[in-house]
């Protein structure tokens, strides 16, 4: 059932033991939502814990490293920024069918939770911001930093057309409340590890163009992780690079997983709907950024996805 | 003489034939200021023209390609976003000592104009925004796009710590007034020509680290322009890359000019003042972004600048 911000805040106020789930392969958006909401609920005296299926990349330490979670039995499960249950990764096995509330901004949300607060026109952390205001919690510097991180990473640091006047005004408010925007953006966008720099070089050297140079594809293999000393956690910044070459309409990043299967991230502009492409392969996302998994190896995945893009570009 | 926004608007209102100068090697910041102010003054029925020493990169076409400048004899010369007269390039020979008004945000401004409106804590286009409000001109979509372009390019698309709550709120206002933020940021930050991609690869392959990996230096030679098919106009995006490697405190980009001399761009974080380094070599800028020229070749410039950075990092 769809609910609004007011109803969402009311539900959260009624519960005392809340478990928050972020999606697997967690990024700044889902973590900002999770820890931002968690901190607000802690201020209301509730038991709250944030969990996710995968390790949280070290660069997000400042979002949560001062938090110590108490042991408690949850009576309310909330997912944030998660369009489908299987995006919860391994947590889907435990919490599938048991999610009470979902706060999300993906048009492809499958309505899997008992109640869903869905606003497609906002960054997920903008929705959490509204919920926190409705909860009557004063936003402190820690909450502000969580929410700013989510908004900034979700909008490519305010680059994308998805950033609305409201996005900018909320960001202004969060900076006034103590979000350290210079530090956050430096860590999120301006700091590349030496291993990542090596990985980026290897990956970009293999960039290939298809469909009259309108589709750019990069492939990240397990071998490249070995050669560069990098790992999957560091690949987040690669996907946007595919779309940056003049004339490219679809950027595809295929990441080989350790079991030989792979995952593809899609970045597009107006002409192709990334979520539509991803949906053909059982995935989902936004019109300009989406992802899907393949049970096959990278070569076959590449062929299938390029073929589909070719059809859509016709 | 230093003046405030009110006084600046008053002076501009009194004049009828206004010439606006931007700095040489024009970027989004100076062009956004120039054309934004120009459009506002045209709406007041004045004769206005914007000129600069170098060709305007094609990607900025949307800032000015609908403007047709009438011939007129100027009675008031205004420079924007220009810290010193020699940054005007060849225009310094004609207008040196004759600039009536300077609107700028550089702490290194040499006070060369008759009157100077200087606000160090704002992007240059934020100051122009204030001036236009004070002039009583309604900001239309064209003016909004100029000012948004300047603010976005000056703040690295709202990345840098220099972006204040006011920066974000003005951006929100400009988007509401018609600035096409998605398009602008796509053109400014998300579009790389194939020639630029080749140049970036060549340049980054030669990246060297000095001073215990705390100083990163890249060199752009005339030969690299030939090999990549790129040119100096496309080098703007290179400088920020130098500072992105973990542990690097100073990023230096040395560009060889056609006469064999060179220009260095500096990007730093808190520990080193970029403007201070640039000043040692007769240049200037901001604490975290500055530039200077050398009469020598790239090798000697590199040696001198690395030596100076080494001293400052001690």
């Amino acid at each position: 059932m769809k609910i609004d911000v007011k109803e969402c805040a009311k539900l959260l106020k009624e519960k005392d033991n809340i478990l928050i789930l972020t999606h697997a392969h967690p990024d700044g958006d889902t973590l900002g939502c999770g820890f931002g909401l968690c901190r607000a609920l802690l201020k209301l005296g509730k038991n709250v814990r944030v969990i996710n299926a995968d390790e949280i990349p070290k660069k997000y330490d400042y979002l949560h490293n001062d938090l110590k979670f108490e042991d408690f039995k949850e009576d309310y499960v909330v997912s944030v920024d998660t369009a489908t249950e299987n995006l919860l990764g391994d947590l889907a096995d435990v919490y599938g069918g048991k999610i009470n509330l979902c706060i999300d901004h993906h048009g492809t949300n499958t309505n899997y939770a008992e109640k869903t607060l869905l606003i497609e026109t906002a960054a997920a952390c903008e929705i959490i911001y509204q919920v926190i205001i409705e909860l009557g919690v004063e936003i402190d510097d820690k909450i502000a930093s969580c929410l700013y991180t989510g908004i900034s990473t979700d909008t490519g640091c305010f680059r994308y057309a998805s950033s609305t006047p409201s996005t900018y005004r909320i960001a202004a408010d969060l900076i006034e409340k103590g979000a350290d925007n210079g530090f956050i953006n430096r860590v999120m966008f301006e700091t590349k590890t030496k291993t990542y720099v090596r990985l980026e070089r290897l990956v970009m050297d293999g960039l290939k163009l298809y469909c009259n140079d309108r589709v750019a594809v990069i492939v990240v293999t397990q071998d490249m992780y070995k050669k560069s000393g990098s790992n999957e956690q560091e690949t987040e910044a690669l996907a946007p690079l595919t779309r940056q070459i003049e004339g490219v309409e679809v950027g595809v990043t295929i990441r080989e997983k350790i079991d030989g299967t792979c995952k593809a991230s899609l970045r597009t502009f107006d002409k192709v709907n990334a979520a539509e492409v991803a949906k053909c392969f059982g995935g989902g996302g936004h019109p300009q950024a989406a992802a899907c998994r393949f049970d096959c190896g990278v070569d076959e995945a590449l062929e299938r996805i390029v073929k589909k893009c070719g059809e859509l570009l016709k």
Side-chain angles (χ1 to χ4, degrees), chain A:
Chain A
M1 196 177 76
K2 293 277 166 67
I3 57 168
D4 63 11
V5 170
K6 218 176 172 106
E7 173 76 6
C8 176
K10 188 169 163 283
L11 286 167
L12 289 168
K13 268 190 189 160
E14 290 165 5
K15 312 299 169 187
D16 289 317
N17 301 290
I18 301 169
L19 180 69
I20 299 174
L21 315 179
T22 81
H23 64 67
H25 192 63
D27 56 17
D29 193 16
T30 200
L31 293 170
C33 284
F35 292 114
L37 181 60
C38 170
R39 288 174 184 281
L41 294 169
L42 286 170
K43 285 182 94 170
L44 290 174
K46 296 177 187 301
N47 285 321
V48 201
R49 199 167 52 224
V50 181
I51 60 169
N52 37 52
D54 301 307
E55 206 183 330
I56 298 176
K58 230 186 119 43
K59 66 175 175 177
Y60 298 114
D61 272 2
Y62 69 94
L63 295 177
H64 63 95
N65 62 358
D66 61 314
L67 293 172
K68 294 259 176 299
F69 293 131
E70 306 288 329
D71 242 4
F72 65 89
K73 171 98 193 73
E74 70 266 11
D75 52 24
Y76 204 62
V77 183
V78 182
S79 69
V80 289
D81 187 40
T82 306
T84 66
E85 280 190 332
N86 64 14
L87 289 172
L88 293 169
D90 291 345
L91 293 182
D93 303 338
V94 189
Y95 297 100
K98 294 178 193 160
I99 294 163
N100 303 104
L101 171 67
C102 168
I103 305 176
D104 190 24
H105 67 141
H106 295 91
T108 52
N109 190 290
T110 55
N111 227 346
Y112 58 86
E114 208 179 297
K115 305 271 168 82
T116 302
L117 169 58
L118 183 79
I119 303 177
E120 284 185 53
T121 52
C125 274
E126 288 182 64
I127 312 174
I128 301 290
Y129 172 90
Q130 291 176 39
V131 170
I132 293 175
I133 300 284
E134 189 64 35
L135 283 169
V137 174
E138 181 77 29
I139 291 176
D140 59 28
D141 57 338
K142 297 274 187 186
I143 297 175
S145 282
C146 288
L147 300 184
Y148 183 93
T149 299
I151 292 175
S152 180
T153 52
D154 193 46
T155 58
C157 202
F158 306 91
R159 271 191 196 187
Y160 305 144
S162 57
S163 308
T164 65
S166 163
T167 314
Y168 285 82
R169 291 202 177 103
I170 291 176
D173 190 32
L174 294 172
I175 295 168
E176 274 173 350
K177 293 197 156 50
D180 190 348
N181 57 314
F183 166 79
I184 293 169
N185 291 328
R186 179 176 168 180
V187 171
M188 293 302 130
F189 302 104
E190 300 269 312
T191 309
K192 297 177 177 180
T193 62
K194 283 174 197 160
T195 52
Y196 171 78
V197 172
R198 279 197 290 267
L199 178 68
E200 187 183 297
R201 184 86 38 94
L202 285 172
V203 170
M204 294 306 283
D205 277 344
L207 180 138
K208 289 220 173 77
L209 298 169
Y210 299 89
C211 309
N212 293 322
D213 297 357
R214 294 166 76 192
V215 177
V217 183
I218 55 175
V219 175
V220 192
T221 64
Q222 290 290 323
D223 189 51
M224 289 174 181
Y225 295 139
K226 267 179 227 145
K227 274 188 184 143
S228 61
S230 185
N231 56 54
E232 200 189 333
Q233 283 186 5
E234 292 195 322
T235 58
E236 213 179 307
L238 291 171
L241 301 180
T242 55
R243 201 179 53 175
Q244 293 186 344
I245 301 167
E246 208 175 23
V248 168
E249 296 285 345
V250 187
V252 183
T253 305
I254 303 177
R255 285 177 290 195
E256 185 182 35
K257 299 187 79 74
I258 201 149
D259 63 3
T261 67
C262 58
K263 191 182 163 183
S265 298
L266 293 139
R267 295 290 183 277
T268 63
F269 290 120
D270 314 328
K271 288 200 187 134
V272 175
N273 186 320
E276 206 178 294
V277 181
K279 218 175 166 183
C280 299
F281 303 105
H286 300 286
Q288 302 199 342
C292 51
R293 286 168 191 279
F294 288 88
D295 283 332
C296 57
V298 291
D299 293 341
E300 191 185 328
L302 190 153
E303 202 184 306
R304 288 170 66 188
I305 213 159
V306 168
K307 192 172 163 226
K308 177 57 66 184
C309 292
E311 286 166 22
L312 289 168
L313 279 167
K314 253 171 207 154

